[in-house]
Each structure stands twice: as C-alpha cells, then as structure tokens.
Amino acid sequence: MRIRYVSAAAAVLSTAAIVLTTPGVAGAAATADVVPGRARVKVTVHGVPVHPESCRVDPDADGDTQSLPLEPSGTMVAHNVAPGPRRVVVWCPDGGVIYQNVVHVLPADPVADVVDTVFRTAGSSDRVTDPTLR
C-alpha cells in the first residue's frame, strides 16, 4: 500500500516540476529580436498571443514610414532600408508596441552580398558576414 502512495506522490511532484519549469507562451510577454545588416533589418517576434503575421514592422519609423507584415514564421527581412541610425518599431494586436529602438543599418554592398549568397548556398552559414542573411 505504501508503494502506491510513494508512486502517486512521485508522479504528482514530477508533474509539478515539469509544469513549473516549462516556459509557457500564454504567460510570456511578446518580444522581438531586431538585427541590422547591409541595407536590411531582420525582425523575429517571440511569445505573440496572436498569429505572428498580424504583427507589423516599421523599419524606419522616423523617415520612410512603412507597416510591413511579418511572415507566419514570425520572421521577416525588410530590404532597401537606408543606411545609418534607424528607429525600428514592432507592434502586434493585443500586445501593442513590443519593440522600439534605434539600430545602425550598414550601407549596401552588392559584392559582399554575392559572396554571402555563395557561402549560404554552399552550407557555410557561419562565414556569412551580414547577420540578416544567417
């Protein structure tokens, strides 16, 4: 009889430990990772309570204001962003503004982009120099 109680207690404790240590999406605050590159800005959202494609990104909130949707994967790359400091704003329904900060976009470099594309195609992503292409 004691073995049953010990087994039941162990099951309850292990379940509680799993529930307490597993990160949940419902209680997590929405966040965004923003990575500047060469004439590009890569945005990835996490913990969004709705579909990520309903979120919008403004890669140049102080200049050429746009409202670009994210992909269903929660990631998007905004192209043709002017070089220099750019204020990026990411907002989602039911989450409001989840990111607002200035990033420094590098000037375009078509030759480096071709080299990076060759590295990516060859499977050498660790050699890609533009972080938005990784």
Side-chain angles (χ1 to χ4, degrees):
M1 194 84 167
R2 273 191 179 184
I3 295 174
R4 285 187 200 168
Y5 291 127
V6 171
S7 297
V12 169
L13 288 175
S14 64
T15 302
I18 290 171
V19 169
L20 292 174
T21 59
T22 303
V25 174
T31 61
D33 295 328
V34 178
V35 179
R38 291 188 297 265
R40 290 181 281 272
V41 175
K42 181 178 181 179
V43 177
T44 305
V45 297
H46 309 281
V48 178
V50 295
H51 300 289
E53 63 269 20
S54 63
C55 295
R56 298 288 183 254
V57 175
D58 190 346
D60 187 6
D62 294 330
D64 183 21
T65 303
Q66 302 175 36
S67 181
L68 306 173
L70 270 81
E71 297 292 326
S73 66
T75 299
M76 65 93 58
V77 177
H79 296 274
N80 300 320
V81 179
R86 299 287 168 234
R87 186 170 64 94
V88 178
V89 177
V90 181
W91 63 272
C92 299
D94 297 333
V97 174
I98 61 171
Y99 181 92
Q100 182 172 216
N101 206 351
V102 175
V103 298
H104 295 279
V105 179
L106 300 173
D109 187 347
V111 175
D113 286 347
V114 169
V115 173
D116 283 349
T117 302
V118 170
F119 282 135
R120 284 180 62 194
T121 304
S124 297
S125 295
D126 58 331
R127 301 186 84 182
V128 172
T129 59
D130 188 338
T132 62
L133 299 176
R134 293 184 190 144

